[in-house]
Amino acid sequence: MGRWQPNARGRLTRAAYELYGERGYEQTTVAEIAKRAGLTERTFFRHFADKREVLFAGSEDLQEALVGAVTGAHESVAPVDAVTTALEAAGAVLTDREFSRQRQRIIDANTELRERELIKLARLAAAVAGALRHRGVPDLTASLAAEVGMAVFKVAWQRWLDGTGAEDLRGCVREAVGELKGTTTRT
Amino acid sequence: MGRWQPNARGRLTRAAYELYGERGYEQTTVAEIAKRAGLTERTFFRHFADKREVLFAGSEDLQEALVGAVTGAHESVAPVDAVTTALEAAGAVLTDREFSRQRQRIIDANTELRERELIKLARLAAAVAGALRHRGVPDLTASLAAEVGMAVFKVAWQRWLDGTGAEDLRGCVREAVGELKGTTTRT
């Protein structure tokens, strides 16, 4: 990012979201995104591999944050708690609900993007399970804690966007974790 | 299915699996599947919408079985137990591990099929959550029990195929449910 283009990435992201919302993801070209942002296509491709990448650019950061939090948890912490604590931390970072809602509307409207989103979640689960196994957690426990963690996050995320849960994502994650612990011990 | 074509569906399925395994899913045509099965393309299309459908034909049965079991569970049964009991019942029906392994190998080798499989699981979760809400289960509890149920099933399924869990899928589901209850109450 050159000094002569302050926050080019942010401008490109905003322009892409606007256009995806206005005319649809499929109908939008990279040339149009660059033009709307007042930048060149070349600049676009310095920041994103393609127009889909604009919507998924945060995935790697999220994965790194989750894996880092799981890896860094004290060894006395139970696997599922290491995962849910990591998810709460991730929830605290994602604060712009309107932006997330806009993104979700774009994704919901396109089959390819919905598929990509599901794959992203499956990869996150695999990465978290790997981090747990690396801590010496047995395979079944690791896989289950990771997959259940993703289930909790998915529900929390949906409720945050719907406005049916707490005001912030972290609160929605906490509600879902509380419900999980209640639900599985109720009988 | 005419009387003059006993088990055409089964023959087409076996032929498709063989060809997908031998030359790859993408490289196989419906004409080749029909030929290998000793049937016509027309017969193929009486049984399946396309060549992908051969691999996902069981999805609707599975969904019906799960939703039926959840709907039919006694009202005193806790939501998550209604789901796990339904999954155990589904596990008891899927008994041919070699067939399931063959299917998984075909799916793992193709991006489109992997995506389709993830979407299938997401739809199952939505259907199960819907069945719970229909029973009057509050939204958060319903969504969470359904998503956690799918997480359990995914892990059990993988372990059954890997041969790292119990010999039968039902046993693998039981192990995962036991681990879930232990995991979430350990702290």
Side-chain angles (χ1 to χ4, degrees):
Chain A
M1 238 177 286
R3 281 174 56 201
W4 36 274
Q5 276 171 9
N7 199 18
R9 194 181 173 87
R11 279 158 64 194
L12 287 162
T13 302
R14 195 167 54 241
Y17 274 58
E18 280 174 15
L19 288 164
Y20 297 164
E22 289 167 20
R23 62 186 72 169
Y25 168 78
E26 277 171 75
Q27 284 72 46
T28 302
T29 66
V30 167
E32 290 166 334
I33 296 168
K35 193 178 169 202
R36 169 80 58 111
L39 297 163
T40 63
E41 279 189 69
R42 201 174 148 169
T43 303
F44 178 94
F45 288 116
R46 273 221 304 281
H47 291 278
F48 302 104
D50 52 40
K51 67 174 181 172
R52 195 177 68 172
E53 189 59 22
V54 183
L55 293 162
F56 293 95
S59 302
E60 277 173 39
D61 296 344
L62 182 57
Q63 183 163 322
E64 257 178 49
L66 286 179
V67 168
V70 167
T71 305
H74 193 273
E75 53 180 276
S76 68
V77 174
V80 77
D81 293 319
V83 175
T84 53
T85 306
L87 290 171
E88 275 188 42
V93 175
L94 294 157
T95 52
D96 190 341
R97 182 151 60 170
E98 266 323 304
F99 181 83
S100 295
R101 280 177 175 155
Q102 203 183 340
R103 180 179 176 278
Q104 198 64 48
R105 275 193 296 270
I106 295 162
I107 286 172
D108 286 346
N110 183 283
T111 313
E112 183 206 334
L113 296 176
R114 285 201 303 271
E115 292 171 337
R116 180 70 181 73
E117 182 81 345
L118 289 170
I119 286 176
K120 186 186 87 177
L121 287 173
R123 281 199 189 133
L124 278 178
V128 167
L132 287 171
R133 277 194 294 268
H134 196 72
R135 283 174 66 129
V137 172
D139 193 56
L140 173 57
T141 312
S143 304
L144 201 69
E147 291 290 349
V148 167
M150 284 307 124
V152 164
F153 195 68
K154 223 170 132 181
V155 170
W157 179 259
Q158 196 56 56
R159 284 169 61 84
W160 183 52
L161 295 190
D162 288 350
T164 46
E167 274 305 298
D168 60 327
L169 178 55
R170 178 175 214 157
C172 287
V173 171
R174 278 193 183 146
E175 285 171 357
V177 171
E179 178 63 31
L180 171 73
K181 301 211 167 191
T183 296
T184 50
T185 55
R186 201 164 287 154
T187 45
Chain B
M1 236 178 287
R3 281 175 57 201
W4 36 274
Q5 277 172 6
N7 200 19
R9 193 179 172 89
R11 280 158 65 194
L12 287 163
T13 302
R14 194 165 56 241
Y17 274 57
E18 279 173 17
L19 289 165
Y20 296 163
E22 289 166 20
R23 63 186 71 170
Y25 168 77
E26 276 170 75
Q27 285 72 46
T28 302
T29 65
V30 167
E32 289 165 336
I33 296 168
K35 194 179 169 199
R36 172 78 60 107
L39 296 164
T40 62
E41 279 189 70
R42 200 175 149 166
T43 303
F44 178 94
F45 288 116
R46 274 222 303 279
H47 291 280
F48 302 103
D50 53 40
K51 67 175 181 171
R52 194 176 70 172
E53 189 59 23
V54 181
L55 294 162
F56 293 95
S59 302
E60 276 173 41
D61 296 344
L62 182 57
Q63 182 163 323
E64 257 177 51
L66 285 179
V67 167
V70 167
T71 306
H74 193 273
E75 55 180 274
S76 68
V77 175
V80 78
D81 293 318
V83 175
T84 54
T85 305
L87 290 171
E88 275 188 43
V93 175
L94 293 157
T95 53
D96 190 340
R97 182 151 61 170
E98 267 323 304
F99 181 82
S100 294
R101 281 178 175 153
Q102 203 182 341
R103 179 179 177 280
Q104 198 64 47
R105 276 194 295 270
I106 296 164
I107 285 172
D108 286 346
N110 183 285
T111 314
E112 182 205 333
L113 296 176
R114 286 201 304 272
E115 291 171 337
R116 180 69 181 74
E117 182 81 345
L118 288 171
I119 287 176
K120 184 186 88 178
L121 287 173
R123 281 199 190 133
L124 278 178
V128 168
L132 286 172
R133 277 194 294 268
H134 196 72
R135 282 174 65 128
V137 173
D139 193 56
L140 173 58
T141 312
S143 304
L144 202 69
E147 291 290 348
V148 166
M150 285 307 125
V152 164
F153 195 68
K154 224 170 130 181
V155 170
W157 178 258
Q158 195 56 55
R159 284 169 62 83
W160 183 52
L161 295 189
D162 288 350
T164 47
E167 275 305 299
D168 60 327
L169 179 56
R170 180 176 211 155
C172 287
V173 171
R174 278 193 182 147
E175 286 171 358
V177 170
E179 177 63 30
L180 171 73
K181 301 213 167 191
T183 296
T184 49
T185 55
R186 201 165 284 154
T187 46

